[in-house]
């Protein structure tokens, strides 16, 4: 790890359980969407999110809602949907209805790396807004693993925030080149941690080190991937 100066982290399935995203965040967005469309359709603050959708899907609140439901069912990772989801989650985080459970090893290891002078960054298909909300509202657990009812803000540990808008597709090696350039760190001094094999391949092709994180609840990794990449159960590398 001595040659590694920068650690770039995926979120879903890497530092945060997939179940939180699939079973809490996605349903919450769909639950509040009808009320947001009814009350904020013409609000200036909502206009940019609405107008990012294709014209045929923003002709009315009903059309936009139907399109969002369809995209969510297909788990489509498209920028205008991800940006809207971040907007919909914001109120939930702010009013305490949502707090993010990170895996137990994550917060201590982020602090350790920061103390060692490592540059830390997030690269997720979720929007930068969604990333920052999640890291701002991290659920604090007590020693027995139960919820303390408190949250902590870990944004100060992170130096860079990247999504498919400002960096590019996660299975494209050029995205990782762009991230390293933005962070001003040589590619061979960067390490990307993810649960996704195609992303690990792209990062390695770009010149980064890549580590596959195998968490409970993730899809099983193929045997060949486990032979080609370093595979870990947590990020205490």
């Amino acid at each position: 790890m001595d040659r590694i100066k920068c650690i770039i982290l995926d979120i879903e399935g890497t530092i945060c359980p997939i179940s939180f995203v699939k079973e809490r965040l996605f349903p919450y967005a769909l639950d509040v969407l009808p009320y947001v469309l009814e009350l904020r359709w013409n609000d200036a603050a909502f206009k940019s999110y609405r107008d990012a959708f294709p014209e045929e899907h923003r002709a009315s609140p009903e059309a936009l809602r139907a399109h969002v439901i369809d995209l969510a069912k297909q788990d489509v990772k498209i920028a205008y949907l991800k940006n809207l989801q971040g907007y919909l989650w914001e109120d939930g985080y702010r009013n305490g209805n949502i707090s993010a459970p990170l895996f137990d090893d994550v917060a201590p290891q982020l602090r350790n790396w920061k103390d060692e002078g490592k540059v830390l960054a997030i690269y997720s298909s979720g929007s930068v807004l969604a990333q920052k909300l999640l890291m701002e509202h991290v659920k604090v657990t007590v020693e027995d693993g139960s919820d303390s009812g408190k949250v902590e803000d870990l944004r100060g540990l992170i130096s860079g925030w990247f999504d498919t808008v400002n960096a590019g597709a996660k299975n494209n090696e050029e995205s990782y080149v762009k991230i390293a350039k933005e962070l001003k760190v040589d590619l061979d001094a960067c390490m990307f941690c993810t649960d996704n094999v195609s992303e690990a391949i792209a990062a390695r092709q770009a010149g980064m080190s890549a580590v596959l994180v195998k968490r409970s609840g993730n899809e099983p990794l193929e045997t060949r991937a486990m032979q080609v990449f370093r595979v870990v159960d947590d990020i205490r590398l």
Side-chain angles (χ1 to χ4, degrees), residues 111-150:
R111 293 189 175 97
N112 289 341
W113 278 330
K114 194 71 173 178
D115 289 345
E116 293 170 5
K118 307 291 189 187
V119 176
L120 304 180
I122 297 291
Y123 182 27
S124 171
S125 59
S127 68
V128 168
L129 171 61
Q131 296 170 24
K132 290 182 176 181
L133 287 168
L134 186 147
M135 295 301 287
E136 182 184 1
H137 301 86
V138 172
K139 187 178 295 185
V140 177
T141 57
V142 294
E143 289 186 5
D144 64 1
S146 60
D147 185 1
S148 70
K150 299 178 181 179

Side-chain angles (χ1 to χ4, degrees), residues 15 22 42 50 57 71 87 89 92 97 103 106 109-110 125 135 138 157 160 162-163 168 192 196 215 226:
I15 65 172
K22 303 290 189 186
N42 292 311
R50 182 196 70 195
H57 297 302
L71 293 175
Y87 174 84
W89 293 329
N97 284 333
F103 290 109
V106 173
Q109 187 58 38
L110 294 180
S125 59
M135 295 301 287
V138 172
L157 301 174
F162 301 95
D163 59 16
F192 181 54
N196 186 290
R215 298 284 196 179
M226 297 178 71

Side-chain angles (χ1 to χ4, degrees), residues 155-209:
R155 290 175 299 169
L157 301 174
I158 308 300
S159 300
W161 308 87
F162 301 95
D163 59 16
T164 58
V165 174
N166 67 1
K170 296 184 73 181
N171 58 0
N172 186 339
E173 63 182 272
E174 290 303 318
S175 302
Y176 299 88
V177 174
K178 186 174 184 179
I179 288 171
K181 184 176 181 180
E182 181 72 22
L183 294 172
K184 297 180 173 59
V185 181
D186 292 338
L187 277 161
D188 61 3
C190 295
M191 180 175 68
F192 181 54
C193 299
T194 180
D195 66 315
N196 186 290
V197 176
S198 65
E199 295 173 5
I201 291 171
R204 177 178 283 184
Q205 289 175 335
M208 291 186 182
S209 298

Side-chain angles (χ1 to χ4, degrees), residues 25-34 65 68-69 72-73 88-89:
L25 288 183
F26 287 176
Y28 182 90
L30 292 177
D31 285 346
V32 301
L33 179 60
R65 180 171 179 247
V68 168
I69 291 172
K73 284 180 179 178
L88 296 172
W89 293 329

Side-chain angles (χ1 to χ4, degrees), residues 38-95:
E38 179 181 358
L39 298 173
R40 304 181 187 176
W41 182 252
N42 292 311
D43 283 5
F46 183 68
K47 186 176 185 296
S48 63
Y49 297 97
R50 182 196 70 195
D51 290 353
F53 278 69
E55 188 173 356
E56 66 270 24
H57 297 302
R58 53 181 164 87
S60 68
E62 294 77 16
L64 192 146
R65 180 171 179 247
H67 185 50
V68 168
I69 291 172
D70 184 52
L71 293 175
K73 284 180 179 178
Q74 299 178 58
D75 194 21
V76 176
K77 300 182 186 300
I78 193 165
Y80 61 77
L81 173 65
K82 294 298 180 181
N83 288 334
L84 175 64
Q85 287 173 329
Y87 174 84
L88 296 172
W89 293 329
E90 185 168 13
D91 285 344
Y93 278 113
R94 301 289 187 216
N95 63 28

